Amino acid sequence: MLRFAHYNSQTHLRKLVFSSSNIGLLHMGSKLFLKPATPSAPLSSRRHLYNSCKCLVPTFCSKPISKIRPYFLKTNGFTSNATVPAPVHGGDSEVKNFRKLEILRRKLEELGIEMDTFTPGQHNHLQCPMCNGGDSEDKSFSLFISPDGSGASWTCFRAKCGWSGGTRPFAGRNSTYESSIQDNKVKQKKEITVESLKLEPLCSELIGYFAERLISAETLQRNRVMQKSYGSQIMIAFTYWRNGVLTSCKYRDSNKKFLQERDTEKIFYGLDDIKEADDVIIVEGEIDKLAMEEAGFRTCVSVPDGAPPKVSSKELPSEEKDTKYQYLWNCKEYLNKASRIILATDGDPPGQALAEEIARRIGRERCWRVKWPKKNKEEYCKDANEVLMFLGPNALREAIENAELYPIRGLFNFRDYFNEIDDYYNRTLGYECGVSTGWRALNELYKVMPGELTIITGVPNSGKSEWIDALLCNLNSSVGWKFALCSMENRVREHARKLLEKHIKKPFFDARYGGSVERMSVEELEEGKRWLNDTFYLIRCEDDKLPSVNWVLDLAKAAVLRHGVRGLVIDPYNELDHQRPISMTETEYVSQMLTLVKRFAQHHACHVWFVAHPRQLHNWVGAPPNLYDISGSAHFINKCDNGIVIHRNRDPEAGPVDQVQVCVRKVRNKVVGTIGDAALSYNRVTGEFMDID
């Protein structure tokens, strides 16, 4: 029983009680009262009890049981208290029943009815395969399987679905039983008129109620807002029209409880107002549609059923199965003519979910969205009528006129990045002009920018890996960066030695390469080990398999998120697993691989150094190789942000053999460098690279 409460002391609304005789109304604001299923026949004293298992095969007791006790049978999450006798040996009948149940299970699966367990002879409560239980995913689907497996029948008790049917194990697709209940029945739409619904003009009390919400009597009359009376009781009636014909009617009480005429077509409220309209506004409630008219917008409609609690994670259903949003499909010829659709739904999470559900059905590219203004210092207006009541029609008009393009994933406007552009201009992001390499001779040509990819190449034994290690040490010393190392040509202990020598500036061993320089002490070694542990994180494949680039990037992502690393070294390219489809060329593979690496760098603001060896150089005379000489593809130079060739002089007559040439051959971002060569001096004892005075 629903009962009106008085709206307030100024507006005296008469109370309206719905009696049980008003069966033509469907309650929309609370739980549905479902028609009870026809009770099954009483259980006989010899009914078999079928326990359930994963493969839906019943089991039978090996011995007869004389005493019958009540069992609580689990039926897919629901419990029944029915007292069922235990089974007795049935001989061949058990095999027949087993076969029938197995065939019945397959036929149900073909219809989309699947479940882990079931209990023959009882109603099993499931999620409907047709409507999926609606947005709340209710288990409103009742499946009854006869005790002997001779048939199954089902009904979905959701009012918006109502799918019912049945099948038998040996019923053919053309049989009377099977075909008579195959699919959901097509409901006959009820024809209604103002007279048949006994609608009346609004009384003065209700006109006063709308006036308090700043909605005029003229607007109410043009939209044919009426009332329905039951003796001394009244309720607001919002009439739905299509081409001047009354199609449906929705009722509202003072507690915002809604009811709607049963078996009527679902359409927008105010549908006739958007005929041939270029701009269409969609709101969440009938009163919001009336508020829009007060602000001067007549080409506005309201959805009939309110908003879902959240956006559905399921795929978009077909038009026939999209029962929740059937009104969109019923009115698609009106929406197809509109060039712009403004979604002015409520500002709460359900309202935003409704906007998303509508946009994904009619196309985000045509949609705009409204952001409601603040009604005070702390709170935002919830909907159109609140804006009208608190801020007035001009504010509502301004909110609609300032509607924004509905966001499309992957499509942006520069305005979305204005704050970031301002931070970049004011240099508040950090490293806007790159990070110094630590060498004066190189800083004019190359600086390290987070989010970029640098390709390093050079002939074997030119010092590529040594130079990268020295660069990492400089970056850690100047800005404290941490790094992930995927260096597959170095054993861990040897790589540690090289890094420690550069950091401590002393040889690791007391060996010939150290000359007369004192070896690092035990205390210095211990301090260096702590530095190694705090600065570098190793990506290594400890089994016999070659690591793939995806595997490396996944671990690098973990290092970024867990340890805050700012740089990744992949050294070298030819030590990775490069399996690719037969139809894919190496050039295509390299292009896709480098795209993955660049996206990783940009997304995580992590600089990536990728070492790639040149192909075999014929008739090489000692000059530095070109980036196009890299083995595999020209995409190494095409896709990288920076390209560097490390070259060491091997001819004493051409100059000092400890001199290393850093050839910057590509710089995409002119802020961080330019093309040119820089010379550094290599200290063979400690592995350091130094400026040449």
Side-chain angles (χ1 to χ4, degrees):
M1 301 286 284
L2 299 176
R3 186 180 299 273
F4 266 108
H6 288 290
Y7 180 69
N8 56 29
S9 59
Q10 287 76 27
T11 304
H12 301 288
L13 294 183
R14 289 170 286 174
K15 298 179 180 179
L16 173 60
V17 178
F18 294 99
S19 65
S20 59
S21 61
N22 301 328
I23 58 176
L25 302 179
L26 170 64
H27 193 276
M28 299 179 62
S30 60
K31 295 182 179 177
L32 296 172
F33 291 93
L34 305 178
K35 180 181 177 181
T38 304
S40 57
L43 296 172
S44 64
S45 60
R46 288 301 179 186
R47 175 173 291 179
H48 290 90
L49 167 66
Y50 294 94
N51 295 325
S52 57
C53 62
K54 267 290 185 184
C55 60
L56 309 185
V57 178
T59 59
F60 301 87
C61 285
S62 59
K63 296 180 181 180
I65 300 175
S66 58
K67 294 184 178 180
I68 299 173
R69 297 181 180 178
Y71 289 87
F72 294 96
L73 301 178
K74 187 176 182 181
T75 58
N76 200 22
F78 285 74
T79 305
S80 172
N81 294 1
T83 302
V84 182
V88 297
H89 244 348
D92 293 338
S93 64
E94 294 180 1
V95 178
K96 292 180 181 178
N97 288 343
F98 174 88
R99 185 184 175 204
K100 286 191 290 186
L101 284 167
E102 181 62 22
I103 296 172
L104 192 61
R105 176 184 65 82
R106 294 198 201 101
K107 299 193 77 171
L108 291 173
E109 287 182 351
E110 291 176 2
L111 293 168
I113 303 173
E114 299 179 1
M115 54 183 173
D116 294 335
T117 62
F118 75 93
T119 305
Q122 293 194 18
H123 290 275
N124 300 267
H125 298 276
L126 313 167
Q127 197 175 89
C128 177
M130 281 293 183
C131 66
N132 296 316
D135 293 312
S136 58
E137 299 182 353
D138 294 332
K139 291 185 177 180
S140 57
F141 186 77
S142 178
L143 172 68
F144 180 82
I145 299 174
S146 59
D148 59 357
S150 60
S153 60
W154 59 86
T155 299
C156 178
F157 289 104
R158 284 190 72 245
K160 295 180 182 179
C161 179
W163 182 45
S164 62
T167 188
R168 289 176 176 169
F170 304 109
R173 291 200 173 272
N174 297 323
S175 71
T176 303
Y177 182 83
E178 185 88 357
S179 59
S180 64
I181 47 180
Q182 273 292 319
D183 276 325
N184 192 13
K185 295 180 294 182
V186 178
K187 293 182 180 179
Q188 187 69 29
K189 299 300 180 184
K190 182 171 63 175
E191 294 184 2
I192 57 175
T193 62
V194 172
E195 292 75 19
S196 67
L197 298 181
K198 299 181 180 179
L199 301 182
E200 305 168 349
L202 289 174
C203 62
S204 58
E205 289 89 348
L206 288 179
I207 293 176
Y209 163 75
F210 281 107
E212 290 181 357
R213 306 188 76 86
L214 302 186
I215 296 173
S216 66
E218 292 77 11
T219 298
L220 295 172
Q221 184 177 2
R222 199 193 74 82
N223 288 274
R224 290 179 274 196
V225 181
M226 307 183 79
Q227 70 181 42
K228 189 176 179 72
S229 299
Y230 290 89
S232 61
Q233 321 301 330
I234 61 171
M235 68 189 312
I236 301 169
F238 296 104
T239 54
Y240 285 65
W241 302 79
R242 182 198 282 269
N243 297 322
V245 177
L246 184 60
T247 302
S248 183
C249 190
K250 185 174 174 182
Y251 307 98
R252 180 189 190 273
D253 69 10
S254 62
N255 295 319
K256 292 191 69 174
K257 295 290 179 65
F258 292 91
L259 301 111
Q260 192 162 343
E261 288 291 337
R262 191 187 298 272
D263 298 335
T264 56
E265 184 184 21
K266 293 283 187 182
I267 61 171
F268 283 115
Y269 177 69
L271 182 63
D272 285 348
D273 287 339
I274 62 170
K275 279 185 177 180
E276 309 299 332
D278 290 328
D279 290 355
V280 173
I281 304 171
I282 299 178
V283 294
E284 193 174 324
E286 291 83 0
I287 294 182
D288 292 328
K289 186 262 190 291
L290 303 177
M292 284 293 181
E293 189 161 325
E294 295 295 338
F297 300 104
R298 284 195 177 182
T299 57
C300 175
V301 292
S302 169
V303 301
D305 289 338
K310 62 180 180 178
V311 178
S312 175
S313 59
K314 300 176 182 177
E315 292 185 2
L316 204 63
S318 63
E319 179 178 339
E320 296 76 18
K321 296 181 180 180
D322 198 10
T323 54
K324 170 69 176 174
Y325 302 94
Q326 198 61 48
Y327 57 88
L328 289 173
W329 305 109
N330 293 339
C331 305
K332 62 182 179 181
E333 68 273 16
Y334 292 80
L335 298 177
N336 288 342
K337 296 176 183 178
S339 58
R340 187 171 75 138
I341 298 174
I342 301 173
L343 302 179
T345 55
D346 289 3
D348 55 10
Q352 297 307 298
L354 174 62
E356 175 62 20
E357 292 289 2
I358 295 175
R360 66 195 291 232
R361 285 165 172 80
I362 65 178
R364 294 179 176 87
E365 66 280 357
R366 290 194 298 156
C367 292
W368 298 60
R369 67 176 179 181
V370 174
K371 289 188 175 180
W372 300 119
K374 280 188 173 182
K375 64 181 178 182
N376 52 46
K377 291 183 179 180
E378 291 80 23
E379 297 178 289
Y380 283 88
C381 292
K382 177 177 175 288
D383 53 33
N385 191 233
E386 272 200 5
V387 177
L388 179 65
M389 292 175 63
F390 284 89
L391 304 176
N394 290 334
L396 180 54
R397 191 179 304 113
E398 184 179 352
I400 299 301
E401 291 172 350
N402 292 333
E404 302 175 349
L405 288 166
Y406 197 86
I408 299 176
R409 186 176 182 182
L411 182 62
F412 302 95
N413 189 288
F414 265 112
R415 184 174 56 206
D416 301 327
Y417 295 91
F418 278 174
N419 290 337
E420 184 178 340
I421 294 172
D422 290 340
D423 292 338
Y424 186 44
Y425 175 80
N426 295 314
R427 300 185 67 171
T428 58
L429 294 172
Y431 315 124
E432 288 82 3
C433 296
V435 181
S436 169
T437 62
W439 298 298
R440 297 188 307 274
L442 188 57
N443 281 337
E444 295 298 320
L445 306 177
Y446 173 71
K447 291 188 181 72
V448 180
M449 176 69 75
E452 289 189 349
L453 168 65
T454 298
I455 297 294
I456 309 292
T457 192
V459 298
N461 204 29
S462 293
K464 300 182 293 294
S465 300
E466 290 276 5
W467 179 80
I468 291 176
D469 286 347
L471 175 62
L472 302 187
C473 290
N474 290 348
L475 293 173
N476 174 259
S477 176
S478 61
V479 292
W481 279 15
K482 300 178 182 180
F483 307 94
L485 305 177
C486 182
S487 182
M488 291 157 283
E489 288 185 331
N490 284 313
R491 287 190 287 184
V492 173
R493 63 189 185 191
E494 293 176 354
H495 202 175
R497 172 183 60 78
K498 296 176 183 179
L499 291 168
L500 288 171
E501 288 178 340
K502 293 175 175 60
H503 176 66
I504 299 175
K505 302 181 182 356
K506 291 183 179 180
F508 189 84
F509 290 119
D510 191 5
R512 188 178 66 176
Y513 75 89
S516 60
V517 180
E518 181 185 4
R519 179 190 187 186
M520 66 180 69
S521 66
V522 174
E523 291 77 13
E524 291 171 328
L525 174 63
E526 292 301 320
E527 182 276 328
K529 285 160 59 179
R530 289 191 293 271
W531 171 77
L532 283 176
N533 192 62
D534 294 338
T535 306
F536 301 100
Y537 300 90
L538 306 177
I539 298 176
R540 300 188 66 83
C541 192
E542 296 297 335
D543 52 29
D544 295 335
K545 296 180 181 179
L546 291 176
S548 67
V549 68
N550 286 316
W551 182 83
V552 172
L553 295 179
D554 285 343
L555 291 176
K557 176 182 177 181
V560 170
L561 299 177
R562 177 173 289 186
H563 304 296
V565 304
R566 302 300 302 269
L568 167 66
V569 176
I570 304 176
D571 181 14
Y573 162 76
N574 63 328
E575 290 287 342
L576 295 173
D577 181 13
H578 300 299
Q579 293 187 25
R580 62 181 189 272
I582 299 176
S583 59
M584 181 182 291
T585 66
E586 185 176 12
T587 298
E588 293 170 336
Y589 167 77
V590 170
S591 175
Q592 291 186 11
M593 178 200 65
L594 292 177
T595 298
L596 289 176
V597 175
K598 287 191 66 175
R599 285 180 178 173
F600 165 83
Q602 293 170 358
H603 183 72
H604 297 286
C606 179
H607 196 102
V608 179
W609 292 271
F610 203 143
V611 178
H613 295 310
R615 64 177 180 268
Q616 185 176 359
L617 300 176
H618 299 284
N619 302 319
W620 181 58
V621 294
N626 195 288
L627 288 174
Y628 285 107
D629 293 326
I630 296 176
S631 176
S633 170
H635 281 304
F636 280 106
I637 185 173
N638 296 336
K639 291 216 163 188
C640 68
D641 297 296
N642 309 287
I644 294 177
V645 178
I646 302 297
H647 187 65
R648 182 170 62 85
N649 177 39
R650 290 171 170 79
D651 184 3
E653 296 181 0
V657 293
D658 63 348
Q659 185 171 304
V660 175
Q661 193 174 355
V662 181
C663 309
V664 181
R665 292 293 177 256
K666 179 182 179 181
V667 177
R668 190 188 303 275
N669 184 358
K670 65 181 182 181
V671 175
V672 300
T674 187
I675 295 174
D677 294 353
L680 299 176
S681 175
Y682 175 65
N683 185 340
R684 189 170 181 271
V685 175
T686 61
E688 295 176 89
F689 288 78
M690 296 169 289
D691 282 301
I692 300 175
D693 294 333

